[in-house]
PDB file of all heavy atoms in Angstrom:
ATOM      1  N   PRO B 423      64.567  32.882 -45.159  1.00  0.00           N
ATOM      2  CA  PRO B 423      65.760  32.369 -45.855  1.00  0.00           C
ATOM      3  C   PRO B 423      66.786  31.771 -44.900  1.00  0.00           C
ATOM      4  O   PRO B 423      67.048  32.345 -43.833  1.00  0.00           O
ATOM      5  CB  PRO B 423      66.331  33.616 -46.535  1.00  0.00           C
ATOM      6  CG  PRO B 423      65.234  34.612 -46.526  1.00  0.00           C
ATOM      7  CD  PRO B 423      64.371  34.313 -45.360  1.00  0.00           C
ATOM      8  N   THR B 424      67.306  30.621 -45.284  1.00  0.00           N
ATOM      9  CA  THR B 424      68.288  29.955 -44.427  1.00  0.00           C
ATOM     10  C   THR B 424      69.641  30.676 -44.458  1.00  0.00           C
ATOM     11  O   THR B 424      70.477  30.425 -43.604  1.00  0.00           O
ATOM     12  CB  THR B 424      68.470  28.506 -44.893  1.00  0.00           C
ATOM     13  OG1 THR B 424      68.419  28.465 -46.324  1.00  0.00           O
ATOM     14  CG2 THR B 424      67.343  27.639 -44.369  1.00  0.00           C
ATOM     15  N   TYR B 425      69.845  31.574 -45.415  1.00  0.00           N
ATOM     16  CA  TYR B 425      71.139  32.277 -45.479  1.00  0.00           C
ATOM     17  C   TYR B 425      71.189  33.471 -44.541  1.00  0.00           C
ATOM     18  O   TYR B 425      72.195  34.148 -44.425  1.00  0.00           O
ATOM     19  CB  TYR B 425      71.468  32.709 -46.923  1.00  0.00           C
ATOM     20  CG  TYR B 425      70.414  33.581 -47.585  1.00  0.00           C
ATOM     21  CD1 TYR B 425      70.353  34.953 -47.293  1.00  0.00           C
ATOM     22  CD2 TYR B 425      69.517  33.045 -48.483  1.00  0.00           C
ATOM     23  CE1 TYR B 425      69.385  35.740 -47.886  1.00  0.00           C
ATOM     24  CE2 TYR B 425      68.540  33.831 -49.077  1.00  0.00           C
ATOM     25  CZ  TYR B 425      68.482  35.183 -48.770  1.00  0.00           C
ATOM     26  OH  TYR B 425      67.537  35.977 -49.357  1.00  0.00           O
ATOM     27  N   LEU B 426      70.079  33.742 -43.838  1.00  0.00           N
ATOM     28  CA  LEU B 426      70.107  34.857 -42.884  1.00  0.00           C
ATOM     29  C   LEU B 426      70.344  34.316 -41.477  1.00  0.00           C
ATOM     30  O   LEU B 426      69.853  33.244 -41.116  1.00  0.00           O
ATOM     31  CB  LEU B 426      68.776  35.618 -42.912  1.00  0.00           C
ATOM     32  CG  LEU B 426      68.547  36.524 -44.114  1.00  0.00           C
ATOM     33  CD1 LEU B 426      67.193  37.207 -43.997  1.00  0.00           C
ATOM     34  CD2 LEU B 426      69.648  37.573 -44.233  1.00  0.00           C
ATOM     35  N   PRO B 427      71.116  35.056 -40.659  1.00  0.00           N
ATOM     36  CA  PRO B 427      71.343  34.617 -39.281  1.00  0.00           C
ATOM     37  C   PRO B 427      70.169  35.002 -38.385  1.00  0.00           C
ATOM     38  O   PRO B 427      69.288  35.755 -38.806  1.00  0.00           O
ATOM     39  CB  PRO B 427      72.602  35.375 -38.864  1.00  0.00           C
ATOM     40  CG  PRO B 427      72.553  36.633 -39.681  1.00  0.00           C
ATOM     41  CD  PRO B 427      71.823  36.301 -40.976  1.00  0.00           C
ATOM     42  N   ILE B 428      70.156  34.499 -37.167  1.00  0.00           N
ATOM     43  CA  ILE B 428      69.089  34.831 -36.216  1.00  0.00           C
ATOM     44  C   ILE B 428      69.153  36.311 -35.862  1.00  0.00           C
ATOM     45  O   ILE B 428      68.150  37.020 -35.920  1.00  0.00           O
ATOM     46  CB  ILE B 428      69.205  33.974 -34.942  1.00  0.00           C
ATOM     47  CG1 ILE B 428      69.100  32.505 -35.286  1.00  0.00           C
ATOM     48  CG2 ILE B 428      68.137  34.360 -33.929  1.00  0.00           C
ATOM     49  CD1 ILE B 428      69.461  31.564 -34.151  1.00  0.00           C
ATOM     50  N   ARG B 429      70.362  36.744 -35.537  1.00  0.00           N
ATOM     51  CA  ARG B 429      70.536  38.152 -35.185  1.00  0.00           C
ATOM     52  C   ARG B 429      71.589  38.772 -36.114  1.00  0.00           C
ATOM     53  O   ARG B 429      72.530  38.107 -36.517  1.00  0.00           O
ATOM     54  CB  ARG B 429      70.991  38.305 -33.732  1.00  0.00           C
ATOM     55  CG  ARG B 429      69.888  37.989 -32.724  1.00  0.00           C
ATOM     56  CD  ARG B 429      70.405  38.047 -31.294  1.00  0.00           C
ATOM     57  NE  ARG B 429      69.367  37.612 -30.355  1.00  0.00           N
ATOM     58  CZ  ARG B 429      68.454  38.417 -29.819  1.00  0.00           C
ATOM     59  NH1 ARG B 429      68.433  39.717 -30.140  1.00  0.00           N
ATOM     60  NH2 ARG B 429      67.551  37.952 -28.970  1.00  0.00           N
ATOM     61  N   ASP B 430      71.401  40.041 -36.362  1.00  0.00           N
ATOM     62  CA  ASP B 430      72.370  40.793 -37.139  1.00  0.00           C
ATOM     63  C   ASP B 430      73.653  40.902 -36.327  1.00  0.00           C
ATOM     64  O   ASP B 430      73.605  41.386 -35.193  1.00  0.00           O
ATOM     65  CB  ASP B 430      71.786  42.181 -37.440  1.00  0.00           C
ATOM     66  CG  ASP B 430      72.665  42.962 -38.391  1.00  0.00           C
ATOM     67  OD1 ASP B 430      73.908  42.941 -38.191  1.00  0.00           O
ATOM     68  OD2 ASP B 430      72.120  43.563 -39.329  1.00  0.00           O
ATOM     69  N   PRO B 431      74.806  40.403 -36.854  1.00  0.00           N
ATOM     70  CA  PRO B 431      76.018  40.393 -36.025  1.00  0.00           C
ATOM     71  C   PRO B 431      76.455  41.814 -35.625  1.00  0.00           C
ATOM     72  O   PRO B 431      77.108  41.996 -34.610  1.00  0.00           O
ATOM     73  CB  PRO B 431      77.067  39.727 -36.924  1.00  0.00           C
ATOM     74  CG  PRO B 431      76.461  39.682 -38.287  1.00  0.00           C
ATOM     75  CD  PRO B 431      74.987  39.798 -38.154  1.00  0.00           C
ATOM     76  N   ASN B 432      76.075  42.811 -36.410  1.00  0.00           N
ATOM     77  CA  ASN B 432      76.516  44.166 -36.094  1.00  0.00           C
ATOM     78  C   ASN B 432      75.658  44.801 -35.014  1.00  0.00           C
ATOM     79  O   ASN B 432      76.191  45.421 -34.086  1.00  0.00           O
ATOM     80  CB  ASN B 432      76.468  45.041 -37.346  1.00  0.00           C
ATOM     81  CG  ASN B 432      77.331  44.468 -38.442  1.00  0.00           C
ATOM     82  OD1 ASN B 432      78.431  43.973 -38.184  1.00  0.00           O
ATOM     83  ND2 ASN B 432      76.827  44.496 -39.668  1.00  0.00           N
ATOM     84  N   THR B 433      74.344  44.681 -35.141  1.00  0.00           N
ATOM     85  CA  THR B 433      73.468  45.381 -34.203  1.00  0.00           C
ATOM     86  C   THR B 433      73.005  44.510 -33.056  1.00  0.00           C
ATOM     87  O   THR B 433      72.559  45.008 -32.022  1.00  0.00           O
ATOM     88  CB  THR B 433      72.211  45.883 -34.930  1.00  0.00           C
ATOM     89  OG1 THR B 433      71.484  44.724 -35.397  1.00  0.00           O
ATOM     90  CG2 THR B 433      72.554  46.761 -36.126  1.00  0.00           C
ATOM     91  N   GLY B 434      73.092  43.189 -33.224  1.00  0.00           N
ATOM     92  CA  GLY B 434      72.566  42.299 -32.186  1.00  0.00           C
ATOM     93  C   GLY B 434      71.056  42.175 -32.221  1.00  0.00           C
ATOM     94  O   GLY B 434      70.473  41.454 -31.432  1.00  0.00           O
ATOM     95  N   GLN B 435      70.418  42.896 -33.157  1.00  0.00           N
ATOM     96  CA  GLN B 435      68.970  42.827 -33.264  1.00  0.00           C
ATOM     97  C   GLN B 435      68.572  41.598 -34.105  1.00  0.00           C
ATOM     98  O   GLN B 435      69.354  41.107 -34.910  1.00  0.00           O
ATOM     99  CB  GLN B 435      68.430  44.070 -33.977  1.00  0.00           C
ATOM    100  CG  GLN B 435      68.835  45.382 -33.357  1.00  0.00           C
ATOM    101  CD  GLN B 435      68.088  45.631 -32.075  1.00  0.00           C
ATOM    102  OE1 GLN B 435      66.884  45.491 -32.010  1.00  0.00           O
ATOM    103  NE2 GLN B 435      68.833  45.980 -31.013  1.00  0.00           N
ATOM    104  N   TYR B 436      67.337  41.157 -33.915  1.00  0.00           N
ATOM    105  CA  TYR B 436      66.818  40.091 -34.766  1.00  0.00           C
ATOM    106  C   TYR B 436      66.845  40.565 -36.223  1.00  0.00           C
ATOM    107  O   TYR B 436      66.522  41.730 -36.503  1.00  0.00           O
ATOM    108  CB  TYR B 436      65.360  39.778 -34.400  1.00  0.00           C
ATOM    109  CG  TYR B 436      65.196  39.005 -33.116  1.00  0.00           C
ATOM    110  CD1 TYR B 436      64.414  39.503 -32.081  1.00  0.00           C
ATOM    111  CD2 TYR B 436      65.793  37.750 -32.958  1.00  0.00           C
ATOM    112  CE1 TYR B 436      64.233  38.798 -30.901  1.00  0.00           C
ATOM    113  CE2 TYR B 436      65.610  37.044 -31.770  1.00  0.00           C
ATOM    114  CZ  TYR B 436      64.847  37.566 -30.753  1.00  0.00           C
ATOM    115  OH  TYR B 436      64.674  36.848 -29.601  1.00  0.00           O
ATOM    116  N   THR B 437      67.201  39.666 -37.119  1.00  0.00           N
ATOM    117  CA  THR B 437      67.139  40.031 -38.533  1.00  0.00           C
ATOM    118  C   THR B 437      65.677  40.076 -38.955  1.00  0.00           C
ATOM    119  O   THR B 437      64.805  39.519 -38.287  1.00  0.00           O
ATOM    120  CB  THR B 437      67.862  39.000 -39.413  1.00  0.00           C
ATOM    121  OG1 THR B 437      67.245  37.725 -39.203  1.00  0.00           O
ATOM    122  CG2 THR B 437      69.332  38.944 -39.083  1.00  0.00           C
ATOM    123  N   GLN B 438      65.424  40.762 -40.049  1.00  0.00           N
ATOM    124  CA  GLN B 438      64.053  40.875 -40.534  1.00  0.00           C
ATOM    125  C   GLN B 438      64.073  40.685 -42.047  1.00  0.00           C
ATOM    126  O   GLN B 438      64.822  41.342 -42.753  1.00  0.00           O
ATOM    127  CB  GLN B 438      63.494  42.253 -40.169  1.00  0.00           C
ATOM    128  CG  GLN B 438      62.104  42.542 -40.718  1.00  0.00           C
ATOM    129  CD  GLN B 438      61.062  41.570 -40.176  1.00  0.00           C
ATOM    130  OE1 GLN B 438      61.198  41.045 -39.086  1.00  0.00           O
ATOM    131  NE2 GLN B 438      60.048  41.303 -40.976  1.00  0.00           N
ATOM    132  N   PHE B 439      63.278  39.752 -42.561  1.00  0.00           N
ATOM    133  CA  PHE B 439      63.245  39.500 -43.986  1.00  0.00           C
ATOM    134  C   PHE B 439      61.870  39.860 -44.536  1.00  0.00           C
ATOM    135  O   PHE B 439      60.865  39.226 -44.197  1.00  0.00           O
ATOM    136  CB  PHE B 439      63.557  38.036 -44.287  1.00  0.00           C
ATOM    137  CG  PHE B 439      63.464  37.702 -45.750  1.00  0.00           C
ATOM    138  CD1 PHE B 439      64.455  38.116 -46.634  1.00  0.00           C
ATOM    139  CD2 PHE B 439      62.395  36.957 -46.254  1.00  0.00           C
ATOM    140  CE1 PHE B 439      64.365  37.810 -47.998  1.00  0.00           C
ATOM    141  CE2 PHE B 439      62.306  36.650 -47.593  1.00  0.00           C
ATOM    142  CZ  PHE B 439      63.285  37.071 -48.476  1.00  0.00           C
ATOM    143  N   GLN B 440      61.855  40.905 -45.337  1.00  0.00           N
ATOM    144  CA  GLN B 440      60.591  41.353 -45.941  1.00  0.00           C
ATOM    145  C   GLN B 440      59.484  41.394 -44.895  1.00  0.00           C
ATOM    146  O   GLN B 440      59.634  42.014 -43.858  1.00  0.00           O
ATOM    147  CB  GLN B 440      60.239  40.485 -47.146  1.00  0.00           C
ATOM    148  CG  GLN B 440      61.310  40.654 -48.247  1.00  0.00           C
ATOM    149  CD  GLN B 440      61.005  39.896 -49.502  1.00  0.00           C
ATOM    150  OE1 GLN B 440      59.973  39.272 -49.639  1.00  0.00           O
ATOM    151  NE2 GLN B 440      61.906  39.950 -50.461  1.00  0.00           N
ATOM    152  N   LEU B 441      58.387  40.739 -45.165  1.00  0.00           N
ATOM    153  CA  LEU B 441      57.251  40.845 -44.249  1.00  0.00           C
ATOM    154  C   LEU B 441      57.235  39.746 -43.206  1.00  0.00           C
ATOM    155  O   LEU B 441      56.401  39.745 -42.306  1.00  0.00           O
ATOM    156  CB  LEU B 441      55.932  40.717 -45.039  1.00  0.00           C
ATOM    157  CG  LEU B 441      55.784  41.652 -46.208  1.00  0.00           C
ATOM    158  CD1 LEU B 441      54.524  41.309 -46.971  1.00  0.00           C
ATOM    159  CD2 LEU B 441      55.734  43.070 -45.699  1.00  0.00           C
ATOM    160  N   ILE B 442      58.151  38.781 -43.365  1.00  0.00           N
ATOM    161  CA  ILE B 442      58.048  37.591 -42.528  1.00  0.00           C
ATOM    162  C   ILE B 442      58.717  37.850 -41.177  1.00  0.00           C
ATOM    163  O   ILE B 442      59.857  38.276 -41.110  1.00  0.00           O
ATOM    164  CB  ILE B 442      58.725  36.390 -43.228  1.00  0.00           C
ATOM    165  CG1 ILE B 442      58.078  36.174 -44.591  1.00  0.00           C
ATOM    166  CG2 ILE B 442      58.618  35.139 -42.372  1.00  0.00           C
ATOM    167  CD1 ILE B 442      58.799  35.179 -45.457  1.00  0.00           C
ATOM    168  N   GLY B 443      57.990  37.628 -40.123  1.00  0.00           N
ATOM    169  CA  GLY B 443      58.542  37.796 -38.790  1.00  0.00           C
ATOM    170  C   GLY B 443      59.679  36.807 -38.577  1.00  0.00           C
ATOM    171  O   GLY B 443      59.614  35.662 -39.024  1.00  0.00           O
ATOM    172  N   ASN B 444      60.750  37.234 -37.901  1.00  0.00           N
ATOM    173  CA  ASN B 444      61.862  36.341 -37.602  1.00  0.00           C
ATOM    174  C   ASN B 444      61.345  35.179 -36.735  1.00  0.00           C
ATOM    175  O   ASN B 444      60.731  35.405 -35.692  1.00  0.00           O
ATOM    176  CB  ASN B 444      62.929  37.152 -36.838  1.00  0.00           C
ATOM    177  CG  ASN B 444      64.160  36.347 -36.538  1.00  0.00           C
ATOM    178  OD1 ASN B 444      64.072  35.282 -35.935  1.00  0.00           O
ATOM    179  ND2 ASN B 444      65.295  36.839 -36.964  1.00  0.00           N
ATOM    180  N   PRO B 445      61.558  33.921 -37.184  1.00  0.00           N
ATOM    181  CA  PRO B 445      60.953  32.792 -36.454  1.00  0.00           C
ATOM    182  C   PRO B 445      61.370  32.739 -35.002  1.00  0.00           C
ATOM    183  O   PRO B 445      60.563  32.440 -34.115  1.00  0.00           O
ATOM    184  CB  PRO B 445      61.450  31.566 -37.227  1.00  0.00           C
ATOM    185  CG  PRO B 445      61.857  32.060 -38.561  1.00  0.00           C
ATOM    186  CD  PRO B 445      62.285  33.484 -38.397  1.00  0.00           C
ATOM    187  N   VAL B 446      62.650  33.017 -34.748  1.00  0.00           N
ATOM    188  CA  VAL B 446      63.124  32.935 -33.351  1.00  0.00           C
ATOM    189  C   VAL B 446      62.557  34.088 -32.528  1.00  0.00           C
ATOM    190  O   VAL B 446      62.185  33.907 -31.363  1.00  0.00           O
ATOM    191  CB  VAL B 446      64.670  32.886 -33.308  1.00  0.00           C
ATOM    192  CG1 VAL B 446      65.168  32.967 -31.874  1.00  0.00           C
ATOM    193  CG2 VAL B 446      65.159  31.610 -33.972  1.00  0.00           C
ATOM    194  N   ALA B 447      62.431  35.259 -33.162  1.00  0.00           N
ATOM    195  CA  ALA B 447      61.831  36.392 -32.441  1.00  0.00           C
ATOM    196  C   ALA B 447      60.395  36.069 -32.044  1.00  0.00           C
ATOM    197  O   ALA B 447      59.895  36.529 -31.023  1.00  0.00           O
ATOM    198  CB  ALA B 447      61.861  37.646 -33.311  1.00  0.00           C
ATOM    199  N   GLN B 448      59.738  35.259 -32.853  1.00  0.00           N
ATOM    200  CA  GLN B 448      58.339  34.932 -32.540  1.00  0.00           C
ATOM    201  C   GLN B 448      58.204  34.032 -31.321  1.00  0.00           C
ATOM    202  O   GLN B 448      57.141  33.915 -30.732  1.00  0.00           O
ATOM    203  CB  GLN B 448      57.681  34.246 -33.745  1.00  0.00           C
ATOM    204  CG  GLN B 448      57.447  35.224 -34.856  1.00  0.00           C
ATOM    205  CD  GLN B 448      56.336  34.747 -35.746  1.00  0.00           C
ATOM    206  OE1 GLN B 448      55.277  34.379 -35.285  1.00  0.00           O
ATOM    207  NE2 GLN B 448      56.600  34.722 -37.034  1.00  0.00           N
ATOM    208  N   LEU B 449      59.340  33.365 -30.949  1.00  0.00           N
ATOM    209  CA  LEU B 449      59.276  32.558 -29.732  1.00  0.00           C
ATOM    210  C   LEU B 449      59.159  33.445 -28.496  1.00  0.00           C
ATOM    211  O   LEU B 449      58.831  32.964 -27.405  1.00  0.00           O
ATOM    212  CB  LEU B 449      60.514  31.660 -29.630  1.00  0.00           C
ATOM    213  CG  LEU B 449      60.646  30.595 -30.723  1.00  0.00           C
ATOM    214  CD1 LEU B 449      61.936  29.811 -30.547  1.00  0.00           C
ATOM    215  CD2 LEU B 449      59.454  29.662 -30.721  1.00  0.00           C
ATOM    216  N   ASP B 450      59.412  34.743 -28.632  1.00  0.00           N
ATOM    217  CA  ASP B 450      59.251  35.664 -27.504  1.00  0.00           C
ATOM    218  C   ASP B 450      57.787  35.999 -27.259  1.00  0.00           C
ATOM    219  O   ASP B 450      57.467  36.653 -26.259  1.00  0.00           O
ATOM    220  CB  ASP B 450      60.026  36.960 -27.760  1.00  0.00           C
ATOM    221  CG  ASP B 450      61.524  36.717 -27.856  1.00  0.00           C
ATOM    222  OD1 ASP B 450      61.962  35.634 -27.429  1.00  0.00           O
ATOM    223  OD2 ASP B 450      62.245  37.589 -28.372  1.00  0.00           O
ATOM    224  N   ILE B 451      56.916  35.621 -28.160  1.00  0.00           N
ATOM    225  CA  ILE B 451      55.494  35.883 -27.954  1.00  0.00           C
ATOM    226  C   ILE B 451      54.979  34.983 -26.831  1.00  0.00           C
ATOM    227  O   ILE B 451      55.258  33.785 -26.818  1.00  0.00           O
ATOM    228  CB  ILE B 451      54.704  35.624 -29.265  1.00  0.00           C
ATOM    229  CG1 ILE B 451      55.138  36.611 -30.336  1.00  0.00           C
ATOM    230  CG2 ILE B 451      53.193  35.705 -29.021  1.00  0.00           C
ATOM    231  CD1 ILE B 451      54.537  36.358 -31.710  1.00  0.00           C
ATOM    232  N   LYS B 452      54.255  35.589 -25.919  1.00  0.00           N
ATOM    233  CA  LYS B 452      53.649  34.782 -24.841  1.00  0.00           C
ATOM    234  C   LYS B 452      52.240  34.395 -25.266  1.00  0.00           C
ATOM    235  O   LYS B 452      51.460  35.248 -25.669  1.00  0.00           O
ATOM    236  CB  LYS B 452      53.603  35.626 -23.562  1.00  0.00           C
ATOM    237  CG  LYS B 452      52.800  34.962 -22.438  1.00  0.00           C
ATOM    238  CD  LYS B 452      52.874  35.728 -21.133  1.00  0.00           C
ATOM    239  CE  LYS B 452      51.866  36.858 -21.088  1.00  0.00           C
ATOM    240  NZ  LYS B 452      51.700  37.441 -19.737  1.00  0.00           N
TER     241      LYS B 452
END
Side-chain angles (χ1 to χ4, degrees):
Chain B
T424 38
Y425 57 80
L426 285 180
I428 300 169
R429 288 176 186 273
D430 187 315
N432 302 320
T433 64
Q435 305 287 312
Y436 286 124
T437 58
Q438 175 62 28
F439 177 74
Q440 296 183 4
L441 307 174
I442 303 170
N444 183 306
V446 173
Q448 289 204 49
L449 295 178
D450 296 344
I451 295 174
K452 171 174 83 168

